[in-house]
Amino acid sequence: MACGGGGESEAERRAALLREITEEGGFAFVASAEKAAAGDLRAAEAAREMAWEQLHSGPWSEVGSAWRDAYALACLHVARLRRAAADRRAALRALDMGLIMGGNLLRADLEAALASIAAEPSDGEGDGAEAVDEEANRWREGLDRNRDIADALKILPTKSLSCKEIARRSCISLEEFICDHFLPETPVIISGCIDHWPAMTKWKNIQYLKKIAGDRTVPVEVGKSYVCSEWKQELITFSQFLERMWSTACPSNLTYLAQHPLFEQIKELHEDIMVPDYCYAGGGELQSLNAWFGPHGTVTPLHHDPHHNILAQVLGRKYIRLYPGSVSEDLYPHTETMLSNTSQVDLDNVDMNEFPKVENLDFMDCILEEGDMLYIPPKWWHYVRSLSISFSISFWWRTTVISPSA
């Protein structure tokens, strides 16, 4: 279904959507949606539940766009009626769920409703000064973990920081980046280029993050990494996620906001960052801008991606290890299609009998510090471990210039 361009009004878009859902046999949904539009909260919740069931009726790739748009419509109805009943948090959750799970047809309506709620004065509830100070201290301590290299090495894979270090350069020009790193596709750490971002100071304040995003719903990953059997996904509020920063004793409980388009969802956070000029190399077209936010100990297993990537480190620090695409076969990629870009090798506990070729492979690695950006070329394998509370942003872009490795 088209995304409602041209001069089509909101009412016309919604009416066309209901006709399409009717044609697909969604008579009960349409009846409930019409009652919801007239102010029936129970009907709105029923419509949302019916659309939710359709979203989970099969593989996500096979879900029709009309039912995703229908889910967004139901979320709008629920939010409007919850807001009328002075239930701000329930209204925000409904709108966030519409953004996360819904289609594009009514995205502007969802964003407008969120902006309207954000513009309202808050209820003034909050923790006492003593609790705020204690939380701020824990936050600073979490950001300062593992600054000593000797401490970091105790939790890193074997041979870490003993092979080849990734080149480090200070705020190089776009021309230098293209000639020295983009065209030859060699990794580089670039420092000094994001110090002016508001995020570099604002996000150090946990109260700021809670004020901007605390009641918003976000998808998180729970478990050591996505290749572990106990790994799962949950939907929780941003404040609940922040509270889990201190629950790191058990790897199966690690909670990670990973590869999520947070800045499309929460516009206020987007205003705190900027797209680096380097992402326009090769006639660049930004593909995705994702958040990676979590406590120390979160791990992204060894894998590669299809796009050019600038990883900006805003808070905390991460250990990153890189292997060139030329050694892919020696890294034992999974044979299943869904995981073919991920290695079977667990660098934290390598089975040398099963994966003998890994032991003598050369790699590059580094500790990415606050204010650093790392360029990861396409197809370069990378393993990432957070050494502290860490907030990173990945900028993926593809180019109109054919790279030499293509």
Side-chain angles (χ1 to χ4, degrees):
M1 186 169 183
C3 290
E8 210 175 16
S9 71
E10 177 183 337
E12 289 171 334
R13 292 199 305 274
R14 296 188 182 198
L17 172 59
L18 291 178
R19 286 195 298 272
E20 186 170 358
I21 293 297
T22 298
E23 291 169 1
E24 294 195 12
F27 304 106
F29 174 88
V30 172
S32 293
E34 289 173 343
K35 290 179 182 177
D40 188 332
L41 177 58
R42 290 181 64 182
E45 294 284 12
R48 182 168 64 162
E49 184 62 30
M50 282 184 261
W52 181 263
E53 290 176 0
Q54 289 295 323
L55 296 186
H56 293 80
S57 60
W60 182 250
S61 59
E62 296 177 12
V63 175
S65 61
W67 276 109
R68 293 185 64 192
D69 291 330
Y71 181 75
L73 175 61
C75 288
L76 280 165
H77 285 315
V78 170
R80 174 176 57 84
L81 296 170
R82 289 291 185 187
R83 186 181 181 188
D87 192 344
R88 180 179 182 273
R89 289 183 176 176
L92 283 174
R93 179 174 175 81
L95 293 170
D96 277 323
M97 292 299 296
L99 284 178
I100 294 167
M101 302 296 291
N104 291 324
L105 179 71
L106 301 173
R107 189 172 187 87
D109 303 74
L110 292 163
E111 291 175 345
L114 281 163
S116 177
I117 294 177
E120 295 176 345
S122 64
D123 56 17
E125 292 182 5
D127 299 324
E130 186 176 338
V132 168
D133 288 344
E134 182 182 350
E135 188 174 45
N137 288 334
R138 292 177 74 189
W139 185 246
R140 284 192 292 270
E141 289 172 2
L143 290 171
D144 286 339
R145 288 183 70 101
N146 293 308
R147 282 192 178 277
D148 189 290
I149 294 296
D151 291 336
L153 286 171
K154 294 174 185 177
I155 59 174
L156 293 178
T158 57
K159 298 185 179 180
S160 292
L161 305 177
S162 66
C163 200
K164 182 178 181 182
E165 289 189 10
I166 300 170
R168 179 179 287 272
R169 303 186 66 180
S170 178
C171 210
I172 58 177
S173 68
L174 178 58
E175 182 180 3
E176 287 176 300
F177 171 72
I178 291 173
C179 293
D180 297 345
H181 301 284
F182 173 77
L183 289 176
E185 295 192 349
T186 57
V188 63
I189 299 168
I190 305 171
S191 60
C193 288
I194 65 172
D195 295 343
H196 63 291
W197 286 7
M200 294 296 295
T201 52
K202 288 183 175 182
W203 295 2
K204 283 186 168 68
N205 183 349
I206 190 173
Q207 295 304 319
Y208 171 79
L209 294 174
K210 290 174 75 171
K211 179 183 176 182
I212 294 296
D215 290 335
R216 304 295 299 274
T217 296
V218 292
V220 296
E221 301 178 358
V222 182
K224 182 188 174 186
S225 76
Y226 63 80
V227 295
C228 296
S229 58
E230 71 273 12
W231 180 87
K232 60 183 178 180
Q233 294 175 294
E234 294 180 3
L235 289 159
I236 59 177
T237 68
F238 201 81
S239 285
Q240 290 171 328
F241 167 64
L242 290 174
E243 289 169 6
R244 295 194 189 182
M245 290 290 179
W246 326 120
S247 303
T248 59
C250 179
S252 62
N253 292 330
L254 281 174
T255 302
Y256 198 13
L257 198 161
Q259 199 169 340
H260 175 55
L262 183 68
F263 309 102
E264 290 181 19
Q265 182 187 352
I266 304 177
K267 302 295 185 182
E268 296 90 339
L269 292 177
H270 199 307
E271 294 172 2
D272 293 339
I273 64 171
M274 301 167 196
V275 178
D277 288 346
Y278 306 115
C279 297
Y280 300 105
E285 180 182 336
L286 199 65
Q287 294 300 292
S288 63
L289 193 167
N290 288 322
W292 305 81
F293 187 20
H296 80 275
T298 56
V299 171
T300 302
L302 192 61
H303 72 289
H304 66 79
D305 300 309
H307 300 297
H308 296 270
N309 181 13
I310 290 280
L311 183 67
Q313 188 67 21
V314 180
L315 292 180
R317 62 201 51 77
K318 284 181 168 174
Y319 170 81
I320 301 176
R321 179 180 292 195
L322 304 178
Y323 293 87
S326 58
V327 301
S328 291
E329 291 306 311
D330 294 339
L331 291 174
Y332 305 90
H334 280 275
T335 54
E336 309 97 294
T337 303
M338 287 290 290
L339 290 173
S340 60
N341 73 325
T342 302
S343 171
Q344 298 179 63
V345 180
D346 179 0
L347 287 182
D348 294 308
N349 186 24
V350 182
D351 185 335
M352 291 302 179
N353 292 323
E354 189 172 2
F355 309 116
K357 296 179 182 178
V358 173
E359 185 172 13
N360 296 316
L361 288 179
D362 288 335
F363 57 82
M364 298 181 180
D365 64 354
C366 70
I367 292 179
L368 202 65
E369 302 282 357
E370 283 184 8
D372 288 344
M373 295 192 298
L374 172 64
Y375 169 58
I376 306 175
K379 303 296 184 181
W380 274 71
W381 293 81
H382 44 291
Y383 160 96
V384 185
R385 173 181 279 272
S386 296
L387 299 177
S388 66
I389 289 175
S390 170
F391 201 146
S392 314
I393 305 167
S394 61
F395 299 85
W396 279 11
W397 80 98
R398 65 180 180 187
T399 69
T400 55
V401 175
I402 298 175
S403 66
S405 63

